[in-house]
Amino acid sequence: MTIKDTPEEWEIRATETPFVGGKTSVRTDEVVMPNGEPARRDYQVHPGSVAVLALDDEGRVLLIKQYRHPVRHKLWEIPAGLLDVPGENPLHAAQRELYEEAHVKAEDWRVLTDVYTSPGGSDEAVRVFLARGLSAAEGQRFEVEDEEADMEHARVPVEELVRHVLAGELHNTCLVVGVLSLVAARNGDGLDALRPAEAPWPARPFEA
């Protein structure tokens, strides 16, 4: 048995989109189950996202703290954002987010991991990058608005973040997955063995 996710698409007899928002929508599909009977499945249609685990030379991860209204929390997170343009190169989007949210640039980029954030209710796919060789970005800071205008910033050692994750004190998907993947990669074949920054991403195909 090969332990690997595989693409598959069951028959859809009918589909409708009862809600369309600014960035995402909700779709209802009538999907044929293995017994031949249809079942309705509602899910969020999402453009996809990128996230950046930015690791500095002192072994600290760059974090931001931002209000997230659906869960009524201010969460510590890593820089992240939507793939605003269909087919957008995810590396370019990640570099943009690191600049806009932290005013930082990085010299070395790798793919840390790819995840579906909530595959039972959304088709959102996220590529989490590892960024190293950090330095301050040139030029003026990006002008933030809405929730981002209230962001806090911090740099926290990896080991400390792992303790907070396992204690149930940090909850953001990209932060949790990113930090634990970083530790696993570091303890395995090493960070330089990670996939290159422009590795194929079947969930959100792009042009180099």
Side-chain angles (χ1 to χ4, degrees):
M1 179 184 295
T2 301
I3 305 301
K4 180 179 179 180
D5 296 338
T6 54
E8 185 169 340
E9 187 167 353
W10 293 359
E11 180 187 351
I12 299 173
R13 288 188 178 170
T15 186
E16 59 184 77
T17 306
F19 171 79
V20 177
K23 296 291 186 181
T24 67
S25 60
V26 173
R27 182 176 296 162
T28 300
D29 289 341
E30 203 171 89
V31 186
V32 179
M33 296 291 110
N35 65 1
E37 295 297 319
R40 290 170 65 87
R41 293 291 179 262
D42 303 318
Y43 59 99
Q44 179 194 37
V45 178
H46 194 285
S49 306
V50 292
V52 185
L53 193 145
L55 184 67
D56 69 16
D57 293 339
E58 297 178 42
R60 302 175 302 174
V61 176
L62 190 158
L63 301 182
I64 59 175
K65 193 175 189 181
Q66 185 172 345
Y67 177 65
R68 294 300 188 182
H69 185 70
V71 295
R72 308 302 197 271
H73 270 69
K74 288 187 77 173
L75 300 179
W76 283 108
E77 307 177 353
I78 56 178
L82 298 175
L83 291 168
D84 293 312
V85 180
E88 181 178 16
N89 186 309
L91 173 60
H92 300 167
Q95 292 169 333
R96 180 186 67 234
E97 293 300 330
L98 185 60
Y99 163 74
E100 291 182 356
E101 295 192 349
H103 201 65
V104 166
K105 63 180 181 179
E107 295 300 320
D108 185 88
W109 290 82
R110 309 274 173 152
V111 175
L112 190 52
T113 190
D114 299 324
V115 295
Y116 291 115
T117 56
S118 183
S122 173
D123 71 351
E124 181 183 12
V126 180
R127 169 155 281 189
V128 183
F129 289 91
L130 171 66
R132 293 178 293 173
L134 308 184
S135 61
E138 296 91 358
Q140 290 186 328
R141 283 187 171 272
F142 180 78
E143 188 173 341
V144 296
E145 57 185 14
D146 299 329
E147 291 93 342
E148 293 181 350
D150 189 49
M151 286 194 307
E152 302 173 49
H153 294 80
R155 295 195 183 200
V156 182
V158 173
E159 293 74 16
E160 183 178 336
L161 289 176
V162 171
R163 288 195 296 271
H164 287 304
V165 167
L166 298 180
E169 298 167 346
L170 296 172
H171 306 89
N172 175 263
T173 302
C174 295
L175 171 59
V176 171
V177 171
V179 167
L180 297 185
S181 295
L182 173 71
V183 173
R186 204 164 55 181
N187 293 339
D189 294 332
L191 300 184
D192 290 335
L194 290 168
R195 286 173 290 162
E198 301 216 34
W201 189 17
R204 293 293 184 272
F206 63 93
E207 294 184 8

